[in-house]
Amino acid sequence: MSRKLQAEIERVFKKVAEGIEGFEDCYDKVLNASNAGQKEKYESDLKKEIKKLQRLRDQIKTWIQSNDIKDKQDLLHHRKLIEKQMEKFKAIEKEMKTKAYSKEGLLQSTKLDPKEKEKLDLCQWLVESVDLLTTQIDALEATAETIEGLMGKKRRDPTKVARLAQLSERVERHKFHIHCLERIQRLLENESMSTEQVLRIQEDVNYYVEENDNDEFVEDEFIYDELPLDDDDPLFAIPGEDDAFHDSESESETESAQPKPPQQRPPESEPVAAARTVLGKGAHVKHTPPAAA
């Protein structure tokens, strides 16, 4: 590793330490705010601080994937330090997202009819499900980065190649579910979808979110087939609420805005498909490509 690169890495590490200090200061202010106005201001400052840290994390992730850097322990350590702050922010962000539902439900509980309360509960459940899947994506991507850091330039280890393919597939499936759940929430809020329609998929969605990491898990790939989730619907052009975490991720990483269903994934190489058959975990049996003749 060149001296110039080493100096750049050390500069970023210093910024990480400063950023964490700034984030912790804003975080304490949010928790100790004496009124709603102060809390909203500190929440806004907290978003700015986490965006700074996420940009540093993106740079660190790039270095972790580089073959020019042999010892990556310090990089992995600083990435984890940032991710701990991201977890703290997610907890605050979740409160910011759901407080409209929970506050309204609390203040108007005596006025809401059962159907309206059911709608509010489902909206909160959708937000929480998306948050859980987002957290799982972060963990999967971190695992993939660690594996890539251990692989050489030739990348001939079939076990690691298969594991990376498996992780990538699970991330794409999570993104697909997040995409659908966010659409459902929007439709439900705009009264373009009934609570009955959402309730019919709730059990299956919960099963996916809670059990997708189990060895015996088999995904139902047709959960949303009966729902009106049409890409051409102009309703989907309406932007959602500001989400600092997702915005910063999309600014810094090249990824599809609308993840494709498994039918559109490119075919795997024969070694990867064979390794997936052996590993089994998280595999989607309906989309296993046929073996080469």
Side-chain angles (χ1 to χ4, degrees):
M1 179 170 55
S2 67
R3 291 183 179 180
K4 182 179 180 180
L5 179 57
Q6 181 64 43
E8 179 67 14
I9 291 174
E10 290 176 357
R11 185 180 67 85
V12 168
F13 286 172
K14 182 179 179 180
K15 284 189 174 183
V16 169
E18 294 171 350
I20 290 175
E21 183 178 353
F23 177 87
E24 290 283 4
D25 182 55
C26 288
Y27 182 80
D28 290 339
K29 289 179 179 178
V30 170
L31 296 181
N32 298 316
S34 58
N35 57 64
Q38 276 189 351
K39 187 170 184 179
E40 288 182 5
K41 178 185 180 302
Y42 295 144
E43 286 173 349
S44 177
D45 293 341
L46 196 66
K47 282 186 178 182
K48 294 177 183 178
E49 293 297 330
I50 200 64
K51 281 185 175 181
K52 293 177 184 177
L53 286 172
Q54 286 168 336
R55 285 193 289 269
L56 295 173
R57 174 177 175 262
D58 292 335
Q59 178 59 67
I60 290 173
K61 287 169 65 177
T62 300
W63 284 330
I64 289 174
Q65 295 170 3
S66 172
N67 291 323
D68 295 332
I69 302 174
K70 303 303 180 183
D71 186 358
K72 302 179 181 181
Q73 291 304 311
D74 285 343
L75 292 170
L76 292 169
H77 172 68
H78 281 80
R79 188 198 69 194
K80 289 178 181 178
L81 289 177
I82 295 174
E83 289 171 352
K84 286 181 180 179
Q85 308 308 313
M86 290 168 64
E87 290 299 321
K88 286 185 177 181
F89 177 77
K90 283 180 186 178
I92 295 291
E93 184 185 45
K94 180 178 177 181
E95 178 185 342
M96 290 188 287
K97 281 183 176 181
T98 60
K99 66 182 178 182
Y101 304 124
S102 58
K103 183 178 180 181
E104 183 176 352
L106 179 63
L107 295 178
Q108 301 184 16
S109 58
T110 58
K111 301 177 183 178
L112 290 177
D113 60 59
K115 292 299 295 181
E116 189 65 21
K117 183 178 184 303
E118 185 176 60
K119 175 183 173 181
L120 290 172
D121 289 343
L122 285 172
C123 285
Q124 183 167 346
W125 166 73
L126 288 163
V127 169
E128 291 173 351
S129 298
V130 168
D131 285 345
L132 287 171
L133 288 174
T134 301
T135 300
Q136 291 178 22
I137 285 176
D138 288 342
L140 292 169
E141 290 180 338
T143 301
E145 289 166 12
T146 301
I147 293 174
E148 288 176 343
L150 297 173
M151 294 175 68
K153 294 182 179 180
K154 296 183 179 180
R155 294 175 175 259
R156 289 181 177 176
D157 187 330
T159 302
K160 288 186 173 64
V161 169
R163 179 59 175 154
L164 286 174
Q166 182 189 56
L167 292 169
S168 176
E169 181 181 8
R170 290 183 60 197
V171 166
E172 289 307 308
R173 290 305 298 163
H174 280 18
K175 289 179 180 178
F176 172 72
H177 282 275
I178 288 173
H179 186 59
C180 291
L181 293 174
E182 288 177 339
R183 289 181 176 189
I184 291 168
Q185 181 184 346
R186 193 174 301 156
L187 287 167
L188 185 60
E189 290 173 341
N190 286 278
E191 299 184 354
S192 298
M193 183 178 292
S194 69
T195 56
E196 288 79 8
Q197 288 175 295
V198 181
L199 285 170
R200 281 198 290 269
I201 68 164
Q202 188 173 27
E203 183 178 351
D204 290 333
V205 171
N206 284 338
Y207 171 67
Y208 178 86
V209 172
E210 297 168 6
E211 303 294 335
N212 67 81
D213 194 34
N214 290 342
D215 292 339
E216 298 180 358
F217 169 76
V218 177
E219 181 183 356
D220 177 1
E221 297 174 351
F222 308 101
I223 295 175
Y224 311 105
D225 281 10
E226 300 302 318
L227 299 180
L229 305 182
D230 187 355
D231 280 334
D232 296 328
D233 191 329
L235 178 64
F236 297 139
I238 302 174
E241 295 181 358
D242 175 53
D243 183 327
F245 178 72
H246 293 303
D247 285 350
S248 60
E249 288 291 301
S250 63
E251 289 171 3
S252 57
E253 298 178 7
T254 302
E255 60 185 27
S256 172
Q258 295 185 354
K260 298 179 181 180
Q263 291 87 344
Q264 300 179 23
R265 290 196 302 273
E268 297 173 326
S269 64
E270 182 177 348
V272 171
R276 185 187 304 288
T277 302
V278 174
L279 290 174
K281 186 175 181 181
H284 304 298
V285 296
K286 296 177 183 176
H287 293 287
T288 302

